[in-house]
Coordinates of all heavy atoms in Angstrom, one line a residue:
T18 N -0.8 -5.1 -11.0 CA -0.1 -3.9 -10.5 C -1.2 -2.9 -10.1 O -2.0 -2.6 -10.9 CB 0.8 -3.3 -11.5 OG1 1.9 -4.2 -11.7 CG2 1.4 -2.0 -10.9
L19 N -1.2 -2.4 -8.9 CA -2.1 -1.4 -8.4 C -1.5 0.0 -8.5 O -0.3 0.1 -8.3 CB -2.5 -1.7 -6.9 CG -3.0 -3.1 -6.6 CD1 -3.4 -3.1 -5.1 CD2 -4.2 -3.4 -7.5
S20 N -2.3 1.0 -8.8 CA -1.8 2.3 -9.0 C -2.6 3.2 -8.0 O -3.8 3.0 -7.8 CB -2.0 2.8 -10.4 OG -1.3 2.0 -11.3
C21 N -2.0 4.3 -7.6 CA -2.7 5.2 -6.7 C -2.1 6.6 -6.9 O -1.0 6.9 -6.6 CB -2.6 4.8 -5.2 SG -3.3 6.0 -4.1
V23 N -1.9 10.3 -5.9 CA -2.0 10.9 -4.6 C -2.0 12.4 -4.7 O -1.3 13.0 -5.5 CB -0.9 10.5 -3.6 CG1 -1.0 11.1 -2.3 CG2 -0.8 9.0 -3.5
W28 N 1.5 13.8 -1.2 CA 2.6 13.2 -2.0 C 4.0 13.8 -1.5 O 4.9 13.1 -1.4 CB 2.4 13.4 -3.5 CG 3.5 12.9 -4.3 CD1 4.6 13.5 -4.8 CD2 3.6 11.5 -4.7 NE1 5.4 12.7 -5.5 CE2 4.8 11.4 -5.5 CE3 2.9 10.4 -4.5 CZ2 5.3 10.2 -6.0 CZ3 3.3 9.2 -5.1 CH2 4.5 9.1 -5.8
L33 N 3.8 7.1 2.7 CA 2.8 6.4 1.9 C 2.9 4.9 1.9 O 4.0 4.4 2.2 CB 2.9 6.8 0.4 CG 2.8 8.3 0.1 CD1 3.2 8.6 -1.3 CD2 1.4 8.8 0.4
G34 N 1.8 4.2 1.7 CA 1.9 2.7 1.8 C 0.6 2.1 1.2 O -0.3 2.8 0.8
W35 N 0.6 0.8 1.3 CA -0.6 0.0 0.9 C -1.0 -0.9 2.1 O -0.2 -1.4 2.8 CB -0.3 -0.9 -0.3 CG 0.0 -0.2 -1.5 CD1 1.2 0.3 -2.0 CD2 -1.0 0.2 -2.5 NE1 1.0 0.9 -3.2 CE2 -0.4 0.9 -3.6 CE3 -2.4 0.1 -2.6 CZ2 -1.0 1.4 -4.7 CZ3 -3.1 0.6 -3.7 CH2 -2.4 1.2 -4.7
A48 N 2.8 -2.8 2.5 CA 4.1 -2.2 2.2 C 4.1 -0.7 2.5 O 3.0 -0.1 2.5 CB 4.4 -2.4 0.7
H49 N 5.2 -0.2 2.9 CA 5.3 1.2 3.4 C 6.6 1.8 2.9 O 7.6 1.2 2.9 CB 5.3 1.1 4.9 CG 5.5 2.4 5.6 ND1 4.6 3.4 5.6 CD2 6.6 2.9 6.3 CE1 5.1 4.4 6.3 NE2 6.3 4.1 6.7
I50 N 6.4 3.1 2.5 CA 7.6 3.9 2.2 C 7.7 5.0 3.3 O 6.8 5.8 3.4 CB 7.5 4.6 0.8 CG1 7.4 3.5 -0.3 CG2 8.7 5.4 0.6 CD1 7.3 4.0 -1.7
D54 N 12.7 7.5 2.3 CA 12.2 6.5 1.3 C 12.6 5.1 1.6 O 12.8 4.3 0.7 CB 12.8 6.9 -0.1 CG 12.0 8.0 -0.7 OD1 10.8 8.3 -0.3 OD2 12.5 8.7 -1.6
I56 N 11.9 1.4 2.6 CA 10.8 0.5 2.2 C 10.7 -0.6 3.2 O 11.7 -1.3 3.5 CB 10.9 0.1 0.8 CG1 10.7 1.3 -0.2 CG2 9.9 -1.0 0.4 CD1 10.9 1.0 -1.6
Y58 N 8.1 -4.2 4.0 CA 7.1 -5.1 3.6 C 6.6 -6.0 4.7 O 7.4 -6.4 5.6 CB 7.6 -6.0 2.4 CG 8.0 -5.3 1.2 CD1 9.3 -5.0 0.9 CD2 7.0 -4.9 0.3 CE1 9.6 -4.3 -0.3 CE2 7.3 -4.2 -0.9 CZ 8.6 -3.9 -1.2 OH 9.0 -3.2 -2.3
F66 N 5.9 -8.8 -3.7 CA 5.3 -7.5 -4.0 C 6.4 -6.4 -4.0 O 7.4 -6.5 -3.2 CB 4.3 -7.1 -2.9 CG 3.1 -7.9 -2.9 CD1 2.9 -9.1 -3.6 CD2 2.0 -7.5 -2.1 CE1 1.7 -9.8 -3.6 CE2 0.8 -8.2 -2.1 CZ 0.6 -9.3 -2.9
T67 N 6.2 -5.4 -4.8 CA 7.2 -4.3 -4.8 C 6.4 -3.0 -4.8 O 5.5 -2.8 -5.7 CB 8.0 -4.4 -6.1 OG1 8.7 -5.6 -6.2 CG2 9.0 -3.2 -6.1
I68 N 6.7 -2.1 -3.9 CA 6.1 -0.8 -3.8 C 7.1 0.2 -4.5 O 8.3 0.1 -4.3 CB 5.8 -0.4 -2.3 CG1 5.0 0.9 -2.3 CG2 7.1 -0.3 -1.5 CD1 4.5 1.3 -0.9
S69 N 6.5 1.1 -5.2 CA 7.4 2.1 -5.9 C 6.6 3.4 -6.1 O 5.4 3.4 -6.0 CB 7.9 1.6 -7.2 OG 6.8 1.3 -8.1
K70 N 7.3 4.4 -6.4 CA 6.7 5.8 -6.7 C 7.2 6.3 -8.0 O 8.3 6.1 -8.4 CB 7.1 6.8 -5.6 CG 6.7 6.4 -4.2 CD 6.9 7.6 -3.3 CE 8.3 8.1 -3.1 NZ 8.4 9.1 -2.1
D71 N 6.3 6.9 -8.8 CA 6.6 7.7 -9.9 C 6.4 9.1 -9.6 O 5.3 9.6 -9.5 CB 5.7 7.3 -11.1 CG 6.1 8.0 -12.4 OD1 6.6 9.1 -12.3 OD2 5.9 7.4 -13.5
I72 N 7.6 9.8 -9.3 CA 7.5 11.2 -8.8 C 6.9 12.1 -9.7 O 6.1 13.0 -9.3 CB 9.0 11.6 -8.4 CG1 9.5 10.8 -7.3 CG2 9.0 13.1 -8.1 CD1 11.0 11.0 -7.0
N75 N 3.0 11.7 -9.4 CA 2.4 11.6 -8.1 C 1.7 10.3 -7.9 O 0.6 10.3 -7.3 CB 1.4 12.8 -7.9 CG 2.1 14.1 -7.5 OD1 3.3 14.3 -7.9 ND2 1.4 15.0 -6.9
T76 N 2.3 9.2 -8.3 CA 1.6 7.9 -8.3 C 2.4 6.9 -7.6 O 3.6 6.7 -7.8 CB 1.3 7.5 -9.8 OG1 0.5 8.4 -10.4 CG2 0.6 6.1 -9.7
L77 N 1.7 6.2 -6.7 CA 2.2 5.1 -5.9 C 1.8 3.8 -6.6 O 0.6 3.7 -7.0 CB 1.7 5.2 -4.5 CG 2.3 4.2 -3.5 CD1 3.7 4.5 -3.1 CD2 1.4 4.2 -2.2
Y78 N 2.7 2.8 -6.6 CA 2.4 1.5 -7.3 C 2.6 0.4 -6.3 O 3.4 0.5 -5.4 CB 3.3 1.3 -8.5 CG 3.1 2.3 -9.6 CD1 4.0 3.4 -9.7 CD2 2.0 2.2 -10.5 CE1 3.9 4.3 -10.7 CE2 1.9 3.1 -11.5 CZ 2.8 4.2 -11.6 OH 2.6 5.1 -12.6
L79 N 1.9 -0.7 -6.5 CA 2.1 -1.9 -5.8 C 2.1 -3.0 -6.9 O 1.1 -3.4 -7.4 CB 1.1 -2.2 -4.7 CG 1.4 -3.5 -3.9 CD1 2.6 -3.3 -3.0 CD2 0.2 -3.8 -3.0
E80 N 3.3 -3.5 -7.2 CA 3.4 -4.6 -8.2 C 3.3 -5.9 -7.4 O 4.1 -6.1 -6.5 CB 4.8 -4.5 -8.9 CG 5.0 -5.6 -9.9 CD 6.3 -5.6 -10.6 OE1 7.0 -4.5 -10.5 OE2 6.7 -6.6 -11.3
C94 N -4.7 2.3 -0.8 CA -3.6 3.3 -0.8 C -3.7 4.1 0.5 O -4.8 4.5 0.8 CB -3.6 4.1 -2.0 SG -2.3 5.3 -2.2

Side-chain angles (χ1 to χ4, degrees):
T18 297
L19 307 182
S20 302
C21 176
V23 182
W28 179 263
L33 302 172
W35 291 93
H49 173 71
I50 300 180
D54 282 341
I56 291 176
Y58 295 100
F66 289 13
T67 302
I68 188 172
S69 62
K70 299 194 296 185
D71 185 329
I72 295 173
N75 281 24
T76 300
L77 185 71
Y78 298 99
L79 185 68
E80 180 182 349
C94 179

